[in-house]
Amino acid sequence: MLKTREGWLGCLMVLIFSLPALAQEKQVEIGETEIGMNQYFRITIKVENERLKGYSPFPEIDGFVKRGTSSSTSTSFINGRMTSSQSIIQNYQATREGSFPVSGFSMTINDEKVDVPGFTIKVGPPAKQQQRPSNDPFVDPFDVFKNRNSEPTEFIDVDADAFLALTTDKKEVYVGEGFTTTLAFYVAESNRADMRFYDLGKQITEIVKEIKPANCWEENFNIDNINGEPVTINNRAFTQYRVYQASFYPLNQENISFPTVGLKLIKYKVAKNPSFFGRNRQEDFETFYSKPKTVAVKSLPPHPLKEQVAVGDYRLAEKINSLDLKTGESFNYTFNILGEGNISAIEEPRLPETDIFDFYAPNVKQNVTRSGGEVKGTKSFNYYGIPNEPGTYQLGDYFKWVFFNPEKGVYDTLKSQQVLAVTGESRKNEYILSNDMGSFYDGIEFKENTLSSLDDSSWMRIFANVFILAMLALTVMVFMRK
């Protein structure tokens, strides 16, 4: 083992000059394998100079439980060349002390397989808290050689060529028309500052509370991984990191106003006089602010169903199990509404009152897809029906659904194109026959139903009065004898 300063320098020079040959675009890094019970073991996947599009699950390790992941991105400008990296860190917490062998495993990163050889993790008693953790990624590995009594390093701030922006894909919408809102952080290709996201989950939760309109329905795109995407703005190259995206649907004519919001990032200062042995950057923070934004909301054109119709671009896909039926024979009919818009707010078609068919309340299913800044989907209404009368019937007379198309600025109707051919006997009198009241009513249609005046029966009134008086007299006599 080399113990002299010259030996260490020689080893370091070999390491430095061999780095370009060993550099990998995709890596799986294993953290400290000797830890205390109060420390995490970590596995990190890293992609350099490309976007992290996907990765396979982190391995399960016997004796450990997963305790969440964290992500980080960084960009730097070294020797006139910009480099970037993205990392996902999986934390593992030990359940007990001991030695835990881990078999070799593979992970797929951006469709490329990366093999990791086996290793052993040793877990000891809880480690004492140190001023600086032993696994601090920013500790210079040769700190032990520098003169700790030397003058403190002076750090300077590097301006960040980056900004935070809240954008919408539309400046003006109708009531009920959707628009997509994106909150993203943009880093210029020429940026020299080294930055990382900080406590992003907590920050986004607070930001959403500020920007989410109270008078809108929200369809959240639920961004889980922050991936950089190249974009061009005013002929300049940027990397866009979308941190929040949602489609909003105004419920009334009140304009939508988004306030200014801030996103706090870790930003590193650099040493004014970098040294070979020493710490050449210092962690600092900077908050980037978006500009306020307003989306105008206008009323729908006049229409009898103006307050009830859905707004969007829709089409009809219908399905029926049979077009040739007999009276009393059931059929299934599905009215599928497909397209772009607020799928969740679509209501079932309103059927007219009819004795020709018995229609039962539909079974409803919906499927919503949020991708590419759009909300699309399907809402299906499955009906069960029974024809009561023979004949040929256009289902379009019963199944029709009105909506407003904001792109065309007009109301439109989805109408069934199915034609039913029904044969058999009429079922009009089936209900009456099934509820026969007996022989008492059998001859009722042959009886006189003309109303008679009581004036024609005066003798009946005289008889009734005499009978009542006789009963009263009899009652009095019985009472007196007692």
Side-chain angles (χ1 to χ4, degrees):
M1 181 176 183
L2 298 175
K3 296 185 179 179
T4 65
R5 178 180 178 86
E6 290 75 17
W8 280 107
L9 285 174
C11 181
L12 178 62
M13 296 304 291
V14 171
L15 177 63
I16 290 174
F17 286 107
S18 64
L19 279 176
L22 296 175
Q24 296 181 358
E25 292 296 322
K26 305 171 185 67
Q27 305 174 47
V28 178
E29 299 178 353
I30 302 302
E32 292 288 339
T33 55
E34 293 188 13
I35 60 174
M37 279 294 294
N38 59 343
Q39 295 175 319
Y40 283 138
F41 169 71
R42 294 181 172 90
I43 297 179
T44 303
I45 60 173
K46 180 184 292 185
V47 172
E48 296 181 351
N49 300 322
E50 66 174 301
R51 183 167 66 91
L52 180 59
K53 300 176 183 178
Y55 56 91
S56 59
F58 285 87
E60 300 292 337
I61 300 178
D62 184 38
F64 290 79
V65 292
K66 292 180 178 179
R67 289 302 187 193
T69 61
S70 59
S71 62
S72 66
T73 60
S74 66
T75 57
S76 59
F77 200 87
I78 302 174
N79 296 328
R81 183 179 179 183
M82 188 192 75
T83 61
S84 64
S85 67
Q86 292 179 248
S87 300
I88 302 292
I89 303 170
Q90 175 66 62
N91 298 311
Y92 293 85
Q93 185 176 32
T95 57
R96 62 186 184 277
E97 296 181 18
S99 183
F100 302 90
V102 180
S103 301
F105 61 90
S106 299
M107 291 191 68
T108 301
I109 306 173
N110 286 1
D111 297 325
E112 184 175 319
K113 185 178 179 182
V114 179
D115 294 321
V116 180
F119 54 91
T120 299
I121 308 172
K122 295 181 179 180
V123 181
K128 294 182 179 180
Q129 296 295 327
Q130 301 177 0
Q131 185 175 0
R132 179 180 293 158
S134 61
N135 57 353
D136 186 344
F138 307 118
V139 174
D140 193 311
F142 299 98
D143 261 351
V144 293
F145 297 103
K146 72 180 180 180
N147 183 0
R148 300 186 184 277
N149 296 321
S150 62
E151 294 182 2
T153 304
E154 181 181 356
F155 295 92
I156 59 175
D157 189 31
V158 179
D159 291 335
D161 193 356
F163 63 93
L164 179 70
L166 186 147
T167 59
T168 59
D169 64 340
K170 299 174 184 177
K171 296 180 179 179
E172 184 180 57
V173 295
Y174 288 99
V175 174
E177 179 185 359
F179 65 94
T180 299
T181 300
T182 304
L183 180 67
F185 188 67
Y186 297 83
V187 181
E189 190 177 73
S190 58
N191 175 66
R192 293 174 177 266
D194 190 358
M195 298 175 291
R196 293 187 181 183
F197 288 117
Y198 168 74
D199 203 3
L200 194 56
K202 182 178 180 181
Q203 288 195 76
I204 294 302
T205 299
E206 296 301 320
I207 288 174
V208 171
K209 291 180 182 178
E210 295 183 47
I211 66 176
K212 183 178 178 181
N215 63 323
C216 287
W217 176 277
E218 179 196 29
E219 287 288 351
N220 195 322
F221 284 69
N222 295 319
I223 297 176
D224 295 322
N225 295 321
I226 309 300
N227 299 319
E229 297 181 1
V231 296
T232 301
I233 303 175
N234 296 329
N235 296 321
R236 292 188 63 198
F238 286 83
T239 300
Q240 179 198 55
Y241 298 93
R242 285 182 294 173
V243 296
Y244 172 75
Q245 190 172 48
S247 286
F248 293 108
Y249 301 85
L251 303 176
N252 54 42
Q253 202 176 337
E254 181 181 347
N255 290 341
I256 310 300
S257 296
F258 297 101
T260 295
V261 292
L263 183 66
K264 188 176 182 181
L265 275 81
I266 297 174
K267 180 184 168 188
Y268 296 96
K269 293 182 178 180
V270 298
K272 185 176 182 180
N273 299 308
S275 62
F276 189 75
F277 295 112
R279 189 177 184 187
N280 290 323
R281 65 176 182 175
Q282 183 183 63
E283 185 178 290
D284 197 7
F285 295 92
E286 183 171 340
T287 302
F288 296 82
Y289 293 93
S290 67
K291 295 180 179 180
K293 182 80 174 179
T294 298
V295 176
V297 181
K298 54 187 178 181
S299 176
L300 294 177
H303 190 276
L305 301 176
K306 171 184 173 181
E307 304 299 330
Q308 304 170 16
V309 298
V311 178
D313 185 9
Y314 301 104
R315 66 183 186 277
L316 174 63
E318 51 184 338
K319 182 179 179 181
I320 191 168
N321 65 333
S322 178
L323 295 175
D324 297 312
L325 301 168
K326 294 182 179 180
T327 54
E329 182 181 0
S330 65
F331 66 95
N332 288 299
Y333 172 70
T334 302
F335 193 89
N336 290 309
I337 301 173
L338 304 87
E340 180 182 352
N342 190 359
I343 305 297
S344 300
I346 292 178
E347 296 184 356
E348 65 183 83
R350 295 190 175 185
L351 305 185
E353 293 288 338
T354 179
D355 293 330
I356 296 176
F357 291 93
D358 290 334
F359 291 117
Y360 296 85
N363 294 319
V364 183
K365 293 182 180 180
Q366 76 174 30
N367 180 33
V368 180
T369 302
R370 308 168 191 86
S371 65
E374 297 178 336
V375 178
K376 297 181 178 180
T378 304
K379 197 153 190 176
S380 301
F381 301 93
N382 185 262
Y383 291 87
Y384 178 84
I386 299 176
N388 294 322
E389 296 296 321
T392 301
Y393 302 101
Q394 301 279 348
L395 281 188
D397 294 337
Y398 305 93
F399 293 95
K400 58 185 71 174
W401 185 77
V402 180
F403 68 98
F404 180 76
N405 189 320
E407 295 296 326
K408 299 178 181 179
V410 297
Y411 290 91
D412 203 348
T413 303
L414 300 182
K415 187 176 180 180
S416 174
Q417 301 299 316
Q418 305 298 323
V419 180
L420 290 186
V422 182
T423 58
E425 299 295 329
S426 172
R427 301 178 70 234
K428 279 185 178 181
N429 298 322
E430 281 192 12
Y431 178 80
I432 297 176
L433 294 175
S434 63
N435 291 276
D436 187 6
M437 299 299 294
S439 58
F440 180 80
Y441 293 93
D442 288 346
I444 194 169
E445 58 182 311
F446 304 107
K447 300 298 182 181
E448 176 66 35
N449 60 355
T450 303
L451 295 177
S452 300
S453 174
L454 289 176
D455 292 338
D456 298 335
S457 304
S458 58
W459 63 271
M460 293 182 64
R461 290 200 301 272
I462 296 173
F463 176 79
N465 290 335
V466 171
F467 179 77
I468 292 172
L469 289 174
M471 292 299 296
L472 288 174
L474 181 60
T475 302
V476 172
M477 293 176 61
V478 171
F479 178 76
M480 291 179 65
R481 287 182 179 179
K482 289 184 178 181

